[in-house]
Amino acid sequence: MLELSLSWLGLGPVAAFPWLLLLLVGASWILAHVLAWTYTSYNYSRRLRCFPQPPKCNWFLGHLGLVPPTEQGLSKVTQLVTNYPQGYLMWMGPIIPLVIFCHPDLIRTFASASAAIAPKNMVFYNFLKPWLGDGLLLSAGDKWSSHRRMLTPAFHFNILKPYMKIFTKSADIMHAKWQRLIIEGHTHLDMFEHISLMTLDSLQKCVFSYDSNCQEKPSDYIAAILELSALVAKRYQQIFLHMDFLYYLTPDGWRFRRACRLVHDFTGAVIQERRRTLPKEDIDDFLKAKEKTKTLDFIDVLLLTKDEDGKGLSDEDIRAEADTFMFEGHDTTASGLSWVLYNLAKHPEYQERCRQEVQELLKDRESKEIEWDDLAQLPFLTMCIKESLRLHPPVTVISCRCTQDIMLPDGRVIPKGAHNDYGVLSASSAFSGPTTTHMCGQTLRNCIGQTFAMTEMKVVLALTLLRFRILPDEEEPRRKPELILRAEGGLWLRVEPLSTGQQ
């Protein structure tokens, strides 16, 4: 029968055996994988019985679709945390278990584990790889450790101090735009739209010493970054496009490649030009001279940094770290600032107390600028920022994968290979008080840019409250967790300028 079916291809009896062998090998390979998946699923199911699980959608999909990235989905998370305060098990399809932790004691186990034991779950992060390369966000092992040590000086306070003027200037531009919009009758503003452009404006100046004027006019580079962020978030929700070969056949895949090229070309051109002008010797004299004339930017530090053996970063490594900083530095800070303005709008008594704290600090100064030493003199404003970050964390969940069995404080064991999510937002929703603001403490992979971000947030928030009163919109925002915590349709608030005498 096989000979007959192959004769029309010109393949006679001689060819029948190889084709039959190939068919048997293929069938055996498929059967072996099915058996392996079945055993793995059974093994996980047996070892994870100690974790409760909500009802599945169906046997094949498991819990997929149970928690959509919407306000309703986040409300479902709150319900699950209430029902399972010590964590729970969800199945992503028939064979992938996901253990969700929401209690601080359990979260701490993974947050403090080394990157070798609990590395990032790369299922999602791989979508960022073509854009961000092997920067700190995506790298692992020795490369991550080496780059972390080399990049730490870039966030020393001596480097960050001059950035204060950049943050102030970017906030001034945003506030001037607000004043014009208010005069034109536009008092309802989307905080995400305005603050994202402001943080991108600051970052381009801090990273590249480049002023794109992106808050006032379109920028191809800024548009590409915003498009890449949106495309990655969209792809994550389309499970059949998780496979690269399918994704890059779609219009979104073409747009993603085009935007990647634009961003890489921009960063690469800056690196090449800066390396060309970098002196071969007398580096210390060069740095002193540059500090007198301009701010030492992120590219300068990356070009000059060397490891213990005197080896510097390659152009590809520098591009990856610069692109990573542009990505991680704008969205998270914009989310944090937008939500703290929302929370202060909802609590006008705390907003006024923050405002009075800033006014008292600057009352005897002719120039209403926040300086480096002022940051420690704003304790209540700082507490409000941290409480807002607890209630509306920019990154709502962190996912990792176990490379070995991990025992929890209560004696339960997470088996090797299992995927784990620990949700900052989930943990926050389980507690009514501020007890979880620092629930994880300083982890082994804490954010290298946290001082940079907090500095920018304090400066921008202080200047905003000094110049404007922020009021809630008629409609409550609906949270939307993507790469960062957004709001469906934008986070709209009403803005009123303060009179000169009140500032």
Side-chain angles (χ1 to χ4, degrees):
M1 200 63 186
L2 180 62
E3 293 177 18
L4 289 174
S5 64
L6 296 174
S7 61
W8 68 279
L9 292 174
L11 301 174
V14 176
F17 179 75
W19 277 94
L20 182 59
L21 182 61
L22 185 62
L23 185 63
L24 288 172
V25 169
S28 300
W29 182 86
I30 293 172
L31 180 60
H33 276 71
V34 169
L35 291 174
W37 289 336
T38 303
Y39 174 76
T40 300
S41 177
Y42 168 76
N43 189 46
Y44 280 142
S45 180
R46 179 178 57 83
R47 297 192 64 186
L48 292 171
R49 283 175 186 164
C50 52
F51 294 95
Q53 57 178 298
K56 295 180 180 180
C57 298
N58 62 55
W59 73 270
F60 182 74
L61 294 177
H63 296 96
L64 281 173
L66 181 65
V67 183
T70 61
E71 179 65 40
Q72 292 93 332
L74 291 177
S75 297
K76 181 67 175 179
V77 169
T78 302
Q79 180 187 334
L80 290 170
V81 172
T82 302
N83 294 340
Y84 312 108
Q86 294 295 318
Y88 52 94
L89 173 66
M90 298 182 75
W91 287 89
M92 302 296 101
I95 60 170
I96 302 176
L98 189 62
V99 184
I100 312 290
F101 293 111
C102 39
H103 194 282
D105 292 341
L106 301 179
I107 292 175
R108 191 177 293 113
T109 301
F110 289 91
S112 60
S114 73
I117 295 174
K120 295 185 183 79
N121 180 0
M122 294 305 292
V123 172
F124 167 72
Y125 289 110
N126 275 334
F127 299 158
L128 296 165
K129 199 88 170 176
W131 171 16
L132 303 182
D134 247 355
L136 277 183
L137 178 64
L138 303 182
S139 59
D142 292 340
K143 183 168 187 176
W144 179 86
S145 301
S146 173
H147 281 207
R148 174 72 186 226
R149 287 193 300 271
M150 293 171 73
L151 265 63
T152 297
F155 297 94
H156 190 273
F157 69 89
N158 284 334
I159 300 292
L160 298 181
K161 275 184 181 180
Y163 291 166
M164 297 282 289
K165 291 189 179 296
I166 292 177
F167 299 151
T168 299
K169 180 65 184 301
S170 296
D172 289 346
I173 294 170
M174 180 178 71
H175 292 155
K177 185 163 65 171
W178 287 8
Q179 293 281 9
R180 291 197 304 270
L181 289 169
I182 291 169
I183 291 172
E184 295 169 3
H186 305 291
T187 58
H188 289 66
L189 302 178
D190 177 8
M191 293 295 107
F192 268 100
E193 177 187 345
H194 291 272
I195 296 176
S196 291
L197 287 175
M198 185 273 299
T199 56
L200 282 165
D201 190 13
S202 290
L203 277 171
Q204 275 201 294
K205 294 167 185 171
C206 295
V207 176
F208 303 114
S209 294
Y210 182 77
D211 186 0
S212 66
N213 198 24
C214 65
Q215 295 194 72
E216 300 287 357
K217 65 178 185 181
S219 160
D220 290 342
Y221 174 75
I222 297 300
I225 289 179
L226 294 172
E227 182 175 41
L228 287 168
S229 298
L231 288 171
V232 170
K234 181 180 178 183
R235 183 183 180 186
Y236 184 59
Q237 305 304 324
Q238 300 170 313
I239 192 167
F240 293 109
L241 295 183
H242 284 196
M243 293 175 282
D244 285 346
F245 79 93
L246 284 179
Y247 182 67
Y248 290 116
L249 294 175
T250 68
D252 279 354
W254 303 338
R255 290 167 57 203
F256 184 85
R257 283 191 186 278
R258 185 172 63 247
C260 275
R261 282 196 300 270
L262 194 154
V263 169
H264 292 166
D265 289 347
F266 177 88
T267 308
V270 173
I271 295 169
Q272 289 298 320
E273 175 60 21
R274 201 69 63 81
R275 195 180 285 282
R276 186 182 63 80
T277 59
L278 196 69
K280 304 301 180 188
E281 51 190 22
D282 297 327
I283 295 296
D284 290 338
D285 292 339
F286 166 76
L287 291 177
K288 289 176 183 177
K290 194 163 190 179
E291 285 174 0
K292 292 178 182 178
T293 58
K294 64 181 285 294
T295 301
L296 193 67
D297 63 35
F298 193 55
I299 293 292
D300 290 330
V301 177
L302 292 178
L303 283 165
L304 296 171
T305 190
K306 298 186 185 300
D307 62 16
E308 297 86 347
D309 300 323
K311 183 181 178 182
L313 295 169
S314 68
D315 285 0
E316 185 178 354
D317 287 335
I318 294 173
R319 190 192 75 188
E321 300 299 354
D323 289 342
T324 296
F325 192 30
M326 286 296 300
F327 162 64
E328 286 202 287
H330 90 272
D331 247 2
T332 50
T333 307
S335 176
L337 274 168
S338 297
W339 285 110
V340 73
L341 287 173
Y342 161 78
N343 282 309
L344 288 176
K346 296 288 289 183
H347 297 88
E349 68 279 17
Y350 297 137
Q351 180 181 160
E352 187 57 35
R353 188 170 165 185
C354 287
R355 183 178 293 110
Q356 289 175 1
E357 186 176 66
V358 179
Q359 290 171 339
E360 180 66 23
L361 178 68
L362 302 177
K363 65 179 181 180
D364 297 325
R365 297 188 200 171
E366 184 177 341
S367 174
K368 304 300 184 185
E369 287 189 10
I370 309 297
E371 299 176 357
W372 181 263
D373 293 336
D374 295 333
L375 299 176
Q377 307 304 314
L378 297 169
F380 190 77
L381 180 139
T382 302
M383 285 191 289
C384 286
I385 291 175
K386 290 183 177 181
E387 178 65 358
S388 180
L389 290 174
R390 181 183 77 88
L391 295 170
H392 295 90
V395 179
T396 59
V397 66
I398 299 173
S399 185
C400 63
R401 177 180 53 82
C402 299
T403 59
Q404 64 183 53
D405 287 1
I406 296 180
M407 180 173 289
L408 300 176
D410 58 13
R412 290 179 296 177
V413 175
I414 306 294
K416 174 183 177 181
H419 298 261
N420 307 278
D421 280 4
Y422 47 97
V424 181
L425 187 61
S426 302
S428 299
S429 64
F431 299 89
S432 58
T435 55
T436 56
T437 302
H438 299 294
M439 61 188 174
C440 295
Q442 294 295 309
T443 70
L444 293 180
R445 291 184 67 143
N446 62 330
C447 175
I448 194 172
Q450 59 184 325
T451 303
F452 178 98
M454 280 298 294
T455 299
E456 183 173 16
M457 290 181 71
K458 289 181 185 181
V459 170
V460 175
L461 182 59
L463 292 175
T464 300
L465 297 180
L466 195 64
R467 297 164 180 170
F468 299 91
R469 179 174 288 105
I470 311 300
L471 303 168
D473 192 34
E474 290 81 4
E475 283 191 34
E476 274 291 300
R478 299 173 64 80
R479 295 168 298 170
K480 185 179 182 182
E482 291 184 340
L483 296 179
I484 46 96
L485 184 63
R486 297 184 176 275
E488 291 181 23
L491 181 52
W492 294 83
L493 297 173
R494 289 185 292 141
V495 180
E496 290 181 357
L498 293 171
S499 64
T500 305
Q502 291 176 289
Q503 293 182 24

